[in-house]
Amino acid sequence: LPQTRWLSAPLLAQELIGSGVVPLRPGVLRVVDEAIAAEVPLAVCSTSNEAAVRTLVETLMGPERSARFSFFCGDVVPRKKPQPDVYNLAAQEMGLDKSECVVIEDSGIGNQAAKSAGMACLVTKSTYTEEEDFSGADRIVSELGEPGGGGECVMLADLRALL
């Protein structure tokens, strides 16, 4: 997903996103669509405000895709990332075994949280996080990519292979 750092100023972020200045990163919609078609449960786990996160997901992905996500945001847990609490809660609430969960993260603390929760983690580095420590990540890529795009292209099968 896009950088949640923009959510520190929700109105500005929503304006930038709505105007197309802040698009989704390559491959995100494709992977989401693959997961939806395969009936894979989806969740967003963020320390940002839930209303802002929901707006972000709906604006960037559309209401149909957004409706397929569970949201675990804001203060739903007392300890934030890098603690694993939000991922533990998501697995529990969604009735999932943590060994069946793959987290896509873009930050070092998010990777630490996912790995501490006992979940597989694919990191998509960004310009904001490329220098962070991603120790323990199951795979690190620059983006999810698109078929024929010339770079890496992460498919749902690649995510499943991390389990």
Side-chain angles (χ1 to χ4, degrees), residues 55-162:
T55 299
L56 179 72
V57 172
E58 187 166 323
T59 301
L60 292 174
M61 295 188 186
E64 296 82 16
R65 287 183 187 102
S66 178
R68 300 298 298 266
F69 282 85
S70 295
F71 290 84
F72 301 91
C73 304
D75 295 324
V76 295
V77 293
R79 299 183 311 160
K80 308 290 183 213
K81 298 174 187 177
Q83 299 303 316
D85 301 22
V86 70
Y87 289 123
N88 291 334
L89 177 66
Q92 178 184 347
E93 292 290 319
M94 295 174 75
L96 301 171
D97 188 294
K98 292 188 280 184
S99 68
E100 299 174 330
C101 298
V102 177
V103 175
I104 300 175
E105 263 293 351
D106 67 352
S107 71
I109 62 169
N111 175 57
Q112 289 173 31
K115 297 312 295 179
S116 293
M119 298 178 180
C121 186
L122 176 129
V123 171
T124 60
K125 294 192 290 186
S126 74
T127 54
Y128 298 106
T129 64
E130 64 188 353
E131 300 300 321
E132 293 185 15
D133 180 8
F134 298 117
S135 298
D138 296 282
R139 185 170 173 191
I140 302 171
V141 297
S142 59
E143 62 183 40
L144 297 176
E146 295 291 352
E152 285 188 270
C153 181
V154 177
M155 308 294 284
L156 183 60
D158 298 315
L159 297 173
R160 286 185 165 144
L162 299 177

